[in-house]
Structures are given as structure tokens and as C-alpha cells.
Amino acid sequence: MDSICFYARVSTKHESQLYSFENQVQLYDMFLVEHSHENWEVYDRYFDKGITGTSMKKRKGFLRMIDDAKRGCFNTIITREASRFARNVQDTLNVSIDLVERGIRLIFIEDKLDTKQDEDWKSRLTQLAIDAEKHSKTQSVNAKAGQKISRAKHVLYGNGNVLGYDRVGKEYVINAEQAKVVRLIFDMCLRGSGSRDIQYELEKKNYLTSTGLENWNVATITRILRNSIYCGTVVYNKSYSSDYLHQKRILNKGEVEQLVVEDRVPAIVSKEDFARAQEILDSHKTNNKGVVTTVGKPPTTIFGKKLKCSCGYSMQKKKYHTYKDGHTAYCYQCYDQVNRGSFTSRKKHGVSVEGVCDTKIIPDWKLKLASYTIFDMLIDRREDIIDIIDKLLESAVDDDKNLLCSEQEFYEKEIEALKRRISKLMDLYTNEYITLNEFNEKKKEIDTTMNEYNAKLNKLITNKCITPKTISERLAECKDIITNSFMNYKDGTTYELLVDSFVDRIIVSNDKLEWHMRLTKEIKMPLDDVIREKEVFIGTLSLTKDDATYYSKYCNDLSRVRFDKALLVDIYLMF
């Protein structure tokens, strides 16, 4: 019996009318009936709604399906047509070829394309993908043309969710209560209050944001102060889309012509006050000349990519201290505190601290010291660590086998029980104790449960435990990394390349750091030999002033530090 799955995608309102999920599901059900002789078993149905097909990055259903395919959960993917699969030629071909090489059969119903039966499926799929991409480009061109006409007519965009206004039909009208909040924000700014002070004042007065939230943040207040709509001016093309394929929003710094329409909406503040607010905000800006950023994508550092606060938020790099010689030290702060204010600051200003993260900032030098010490420890104790990994990998085989046998036995027993129920149900129908409708209804319920158990059983059998061959490969890689890769560093480095390559994540809390390291790269295995990742606690390092002094020969930052107490670092290895 072959395990199959279905994929459906609807990206626009127009498409949802023609190709709704319900219509696509009905199409798939009819397709199953027509191919009942194939002896198929449905593993899952994957959906994406309101997501473009030109890029895969935001299509969670599609990505989950690809991940399941790589784990061997099914061997056939069925979708309505190539444009549902992807509207990007490169993505379509790369993913399709990879799946077929892994033994996955692809069926595009309306395109009448089956990679198992069509010898020239690559050329046909290429042409279908080209047509789909051309269609997307045409849609993009038409949409931009329509937007240009709308802008020329001064049409207001958005759903009207702008603090201080209500949308009535096609126009904005002032909301008197919310307008008071907007005026307070501008008045405090003009009196010299910073965005954080304004935030605290709004929360003290229990004013709500435009979305009805009690918690404000600096970014929201800054956006309000920068929004020219409050002085009656509407600006079109503040940002633009990079291209029709990637559709990234980029802040418009003159690349695209803007259209400025004065007095398009009723003003809440005067143009003079708005202009003064811009001067104040501009005077606080740091000089980022030449730095290109995309909307919603703040720049990251090597440690910034790895750090996680114990509360779950990411952490943002900030200036920590500037020395007399001009040297600047940096730190990382929980992103929740960056938005809402630190626990200490909120408490000091008499603002509620309920639900606010209390994790203290982590100086950059502590991360550098930990990286030096940990990698040296891995080199010095490499034989002990390799021995630990060796034993753990061997024991993992037995653990996985026991787990597999236990779960497999459960589902096999449940499936046998369901088969007996179907047999009894058949006897009841044959002896005319139940009608045909009753028989079909109850059998349908049992079949649904049986399909679910069969899918889980197939998944268990497919996801085999770690094999001796896998152990050998992983252990060899660990030995190579610890013995060679970690030792190939030069004096003066901060281990940043090693951190980027081998550290999975660093979790920051008030009493310690958790350093989670990945000592193996991805091993490409057949679909029936999937690897389960393991993690083991190695131990705790206690770092002191002496360690900082020793490593200051590599990093001058460590010669400036002050230690109040030892820095504790829990080390975990993933393999």
C-alpha cells in the first residue's frame, strides 16, 4: 500500500472563489475514487491560505510537507496543478528534482503530469513553471498599474486601523478620544520627553493602542511621531517591493518616486508641530549612512543570531559603555525589555512590571570569554568527550529500538482490533441487523481511525533508530571537529567563526548561560534511515577574573572587565 498526501494553496481572494480549499478537497476525494485501484492510503493533507506561490519561505504547510517527505512519511504528493506547487521556476524544479530523486512521486492533476509515468516530466514541468511564473509577473505588473491609478486618485489604503481615526467608507474621520492620545504623544515629544517616557505615561493613564493593547512600546510611539497623516499629509510609496518573486518590503530612500498629498485627511496636529517633532527625532538618530536595511529585518551579529533570553525572546545588541580612550563596549538585552522597558526601569517609574522579563543584560565580553574557554576545554578534554559521545551514541541505539518496539506494538494491536470491529460490523449488516447506510457510516468512522493508526505506524517504521553505520559516521565527524577544526585558530580571534559554525543557541538567564553546541553537520541519509538528534549535558564551567586575564592576550576587551562573581556556563552537546 502506497502512502500519499495532498497539497493545496490559495493565495488571493480571486483564487479563493475559484479554487477554495473545499473545492480542492472535493477534487482530491474524487481523484481518490477514480484511482481506488491504486491501493493508496492518505497520510496527511497540507494547506496554505493567503500565501503567495512565488516563494516558499512563508508557506508553512508546504515546508512541513517537504520535511515529512524527507523523513519518508509518504511516497506520493498530489496537487491540483503546478502553479499550486510553486510559481517560481527555480523553486519548482529544485524541489521537484530533489523529491523525485528521493523516490517521491509527484502528480499534478489538471496538468495531467505524473513523474512516475511521464519520461519527459522535467521538460513539461519546466514549461508549466515558466508559464506560472509569467502569470505571476503579469499579475504583479497589473497590480502595480492599478495601484498607480489609485494613488493618482488619492485613494486611501489600509483598513483604517490608525490611532486617532476611524475609517468611514473611503475616508478617515477623527476619533475624538484617540486623538487626545495622539496629541499627548506629540506634546510630550515637543516638551523634550523621550519615547520611553511617553510610553510609561501612556501605560500609567491606561490608554490603549490602536489595536486595543494595554502595553505600548517605543517602536509604536516612534511610528506615530513619524506618521505624516497626523498633520493631514498622506505619503504614497514609503516602502516598495523588491520584485515579484521575493516580494520583500524595502524602505524607500529615493529609489522609487513618492507621491505626497497635502490635507488629504483631517489633521490632529499642526504641520509646524509635526515638523518640530521630526527635527527632535532626527537629532537622536545614530549615523547609519550607507547601511541598507529591509523593513522588519534588523541587522544581526554572530552572537545576536545565537542568543535567546530565558523568557523566550531574542536579544538585541546595544551600547554598554564608552571608555575615555574612545573604546565602546557592547551588551545584549532581551527584546521584550527593548520594546517595553527593563524590569528595573519600569519599577522605578511606577509602571506595572507584570509579565515583564527580569533577565539582566549580558555584556559582550562574557560571551567572548565563554567562547574562548569552552572551545579550549573541548580541545583539552577531547579524548574524554569523544569517549562520552561514543558511549551515548551506542546506548541511543538501544533506547530508540525499545521506543520503536513499544509504540509499534501498540498501533499494531489497535489496527487488529479495528479490523475485528469491521468484521463484526459486516456480520451485523449481512444478518440485516443494521441498514446499509448505518453500515457505511460506522465503517467510515473505523476507516478514519485505521488510516490514522496506519500512517503513524508507517511513520514509526520509516523513522528507524540510529544505526551502527550512523554512529561510526557521527563519531568520526566529532573526532575530526574536536581534534582539527577547533584547533585551527589564530591568536587574536574571538572564536566567532567557531561560534557561528558549531553553536546552536545560547540561553541567557540571571544566574548562568546555557551553551548548546552542535558537533555534527547534517548527514545525508536515505529516507528510510532518518537520524534522531541527541543532546547531552557535559558539565558546568565557572569562569573567574583569572580566566579573563589569561584570555586578554587574545581579546583586549577582557583586560577591562570587572568580576562581581563567577560566570557559570552549562554546556550541552548535540549530535
Side-chain angles (χ1 to χ4, degrees):
M1 179 174 289
D2 290 335
S3 182
I4 70 170
C5 76
F6 294 110
Y7 176 70
R9 177 183 61 80
V10 174
S11 61
T12 66
K13 291 182 179 179
H14 174 67
E15 285 184 342
S16 66
Q17 295 171 358
L18 297 176
Y19 308 121
S20 67
F21 284 127
E22 292 76 14
N23 288 342
Q24 293 189 51
V25 169
Q26 185 178 8
L27 173 68
Y28 296 148
D29 288 340
M30 292 172 59
F31 189 77
L32 274 178
V33 173
E34 294 172 0
H35 294 76
S36 57
H37 61 281
E38 294 273 7
N39 197 25
W40 283 336
E41 180 180 75
V42 179
Y43 173 79
D44 204 349
R45 299 171 188 259
Y46 302 89
F47 301 111
D48 283 308
K49 188 173 183 179
I51 304 295
T52 177
T54 55
S55 176
M56 295 190 299
K57 292 181 179 179
K58 296 182 180 180
R59 295 162 61 190
K60 293 181 179 179
F62 186 82
L63 294 175
R64 184 169 66 87
M65 179 183 71
I66 298 301
D67 184 58
D68 285 348
K70 291 179 179 179
R71 294 190 298 111
C73 298
F74 47 79
N75 51 28
T76 301
I77 297 175
I78 301 173
T79 190
R80 187 174 65 82
E81 60 186 7
S83 64
R84 299 304 93 196
F85 205 65
R87 283 187 172 175
N88 180 318
V89 175
Q90 184 177 357
D91 284 349
T92 301
L93 295 179
N94 289 345
V95 173
S96 299
I97 291 173
D98 180 63
L99 289 172
V100 173
E101 287 180 350
R102 291 174 179 269
I104 304 295
R105 177 185 182 186
L106 306 178
I107 300 176
F108 302 98
I109 299 175
E110 294 195 358
D111 294 324
K112 293 181 173 54
L113 176 60
D114 185 335
T115 58
K116 183 179 179 180
Q117 299 178 358
D118 299 337
E119 293 183 0
D120 63 337
W121 68 267
K122 286 185 183 179
S123 59
R124 287 195 59 203
L125 183 60
T126 300
Q127 187 58 53
L128 290 169
I130 290 173
D131 292 342
E133 188 170 312
K134 284 181 178 178
H135 180 67
S136 293
K137 185 175 182 179
T138 300
Q139 284 185 318
S140 177
V141 170
N142 291 340
K144 287 182 178 179
Q147 291 170 0
K148 187 174 182 179
I149 294 172
S150 297
R151 288 193 292 269
K153 294 180 178 180
H154 302 168
V155 173
L156 294 174
Y157 294 139
N159 56 10
N161 189 23
V162 180
L163 185 71
Y165 294 97
D166 292 325
R167 179 148 188 166
V168 179
K170 297 181 179 180
E171 301 298 325
Y172 282 175
V173 297
I174 293 178
N175 180 311
E177 289 301 315
Q178 291 184 2
K180 292 179 183 177
V181 181
V182 174
R183 293 190 185 100
L184 174 61
I185 292 173
F186 276 90
D187 288 344
M188 290 188 67
C189 174
L190 297 177
R191 291 199 303 266
S193 297
S195 296
R196 184 71 73 195
D197 292 331
I198 298 173
Q199 172 198 342
Y200 289 161
E201 184 65 21
L202 296 176
E203 291 188 8
K204 284 180 185 178
K205 294 182 178 296
N206 296 319
Y207 288 137
L208 302 180
T209 67
S210 62
T211 55
L213 299 178
E214 296 178 353
N215 296 320
W216 291 75
N217 60 59
V218 169
T220 299
I221 292 164
T222 302
R223 281 197 297 270
I224 290 173
L225 290 170
R226 288 290 192 188
N227 196 343
S228 62
I229 196 172
Y230 292 115
C231 67
T233 302
V234 174
V235 179
Y236 294 95
N237 283 338
K238 291 182 179 180
S239 64
Y240 64 94
S241 180
S242 57
D243 55 63
Y244 72 96
L245 286 178
H246 300 95
Q247 299 185 19
K248 290 182 179 179
R249 299 304 299 177
I250 299 175
L251 190 63
N252 188 2
K253 296 182 179 180
E255 297 88 350
V256 177
E257 183 181 0
Q258 290 186 331
L259 174 64
V260 179
V261 182
E262 301 290 351
D263 303 319
R264 177 62 185 83
V265 298
I268 293 178
V269 299
S270 69
K271 284 182 168 48
E272 293 76 16
D273 284 349
F274 181 78
R276 285 173 54 204
Q278 304 317 297
E279 292 176 0
I280 293 172
L281 292 175
D282 289 341
S283 69
H284 296 160
K285 286 172 61 177
T286 55
N287 184 14
N288 288 327
K289 194 173 183 180
V291 176
V292 178
T293 60
T294 55
V295 176
K297 298 286 185 181
T300 59
T301 64
I302 289 176
F303 284 125
K305 290 188 291 184
K306 307 294 182 180
L307 286 174
K308 288 288 183 182
C309 180
S310 56
C311 73
Y313 275 89
S314 299
M315 303 191 77
Q316 181 171 312
K317 187 175 182 179
K318 301 184 67 177
K319 282 188 178 181
Y320 182 49
H321 183 72
T322 300
Y323 295 93
K324 292 181 180 179
D325 61 2
H327 176 77
T328 301
Y330 293 91
C331 67
Y332 290 87
Q333 184 178 20
C334 173
Y335 200 74
D336 181 50
Q337 297 179 22
V338 173
N339 276 332
R340 300 176 59 186
S342 69
F343 186 91
T344 304
S345 174
R346 292 177 67 89
K347 195 171 182 179
K348 178 181 177 181
H349 287 82
V351 186
S352 172
V353 294
E354 183 178 356
V356 177
C357 174
D358 64 350
T359 300
K360 297 177 181 178
I361 59 172
I362 178 77
D364 187 62
W365 66 261
K366 289 188 177 183
L367 300 169
K368 293 178 180 179
L369 176 59
S371 65
Y372 278 112
T373 311
I374 289 171
F375 285 111
D376 268 3
M377 181 273 295
L378 289 172
I379 294 169
D380 293 340
R381 294 185 52 200
R382 56 186 179 274
E383 296 302 330
D384 293 337
I385 293 171
I386 288 171
D387 185 56
I388 291 172
I389 294 173
D390 191 7
K391 292 177 180 177
L392 286 169
L393 282 172
E394 288 180 351
S395 65
V397 174
D398 294 332
D399 292 343
D400 280 0
K401 282 182 179 177
N402 292 334
L403 177 63
L404 178 63
C405 291
S406 176
E407 293 185 52
Q408 183 175 341
E409 183 179 357
F410 168 78
Y411 287 119
E412 286 175 346
K413 287 182 177 179
E414 290 296 315
I415 290 169
E416 287 301 318
L418 291 171
K419 288 179 179 178
R420 290 194 294 271
R421 285 182 59 187
I422 291 177
S423 179
K424 290 180 180 178
L425 194 64
M426 182 63 74
D427 290 338
L428 290 174
Y429 171 65
T430 303
N431 293 319
E432 298 183 351
Y433 288 111
I434 59 175
T435 65
L436 179 60
N437 287 337
E438 290 173 327
F439 170 79
N440 288 333
E441 185 177 341
K442 292 182 179 180
K443 186 176 182 299
K444 184 178 179 181
E445 293 177 3
I446 298 173
D447 285 342
T448 300
T449 305
M450 186 179 294
N451 285 337
E452 179 184 343
Y453 285 168
N454 273 317
K456 290 180 177 179
L457 180 60
N458 289 335
K459 187 176 180 180
L460 272 176
I461 296 173
T462 301
N463 290 357
K464 291 182 179 178
C465 62
I466 299 173
T467 66
K469 179 183 177 183
T470 306
I471 289 179
S472 176
E473 291 177 348
R474 284 194 161 192
L475 189 58
E477 189 174 6
C478 287
K479 288 178 180 177
D480 177 67
I481 289 170
I482 295 175
T483 305
N484 299 315
S485 299
F486 290 166
M487 299 181 72
N488 292 333
Y489 67 89
K490 298 178 180 179
D491 291 353
T493 65
T494 59
Y495 284 98
E496 289 189 343
L497 292 177
L498 293 178
V499 170
D500 196 32
S501 299
F502 300 112
V503 176
D504 184 74
R505 64 191 184 280
I506 303 169
I507 300 176
V508 181
S509 60
N510 283 329
D511 56 346
K512 64 181 178 181
L513 295 176
E514 284 186 15
W515 206 278
H516 297 260
M517 299 193 60
R518 186 186 302 277
L519 286 191
T520 53
K521 302 169 187 175
E522 182 182 359
I523 301 175
K524 293 185 178 180
M525 305 288 289
L527 285 174
D528 60 350
D529 207 8
V530 178
I531 302 168
R532 295 182 181 180
E533 194 166 59
K534 300 293 178 183
E535 184 176 59
V536 62
F537 173 67
I538 292 296
T540 301
L541 285 179
S542 180
L543 308 183
T544 65
K545 177 66 176 178
D546 291 339
D547 296 304
T549 301
Y550 176 77
Y551 287 108
S552 63
K553 62 184 178 181
Y554 299 122
C555 178
N556 190 47
D557 288 355
L558 299 178
S559 64
R560 308 171 185 268
V561 303
R562 293 181 180 179
F563 259 98
D564 296 327
K565 60 180 181 179
L567 172 63
L568 301 180
V569 185
D570 288 346
I571 305 172
Y572 296 83
L573 294 183
M574 304 168 64
F575 50 87

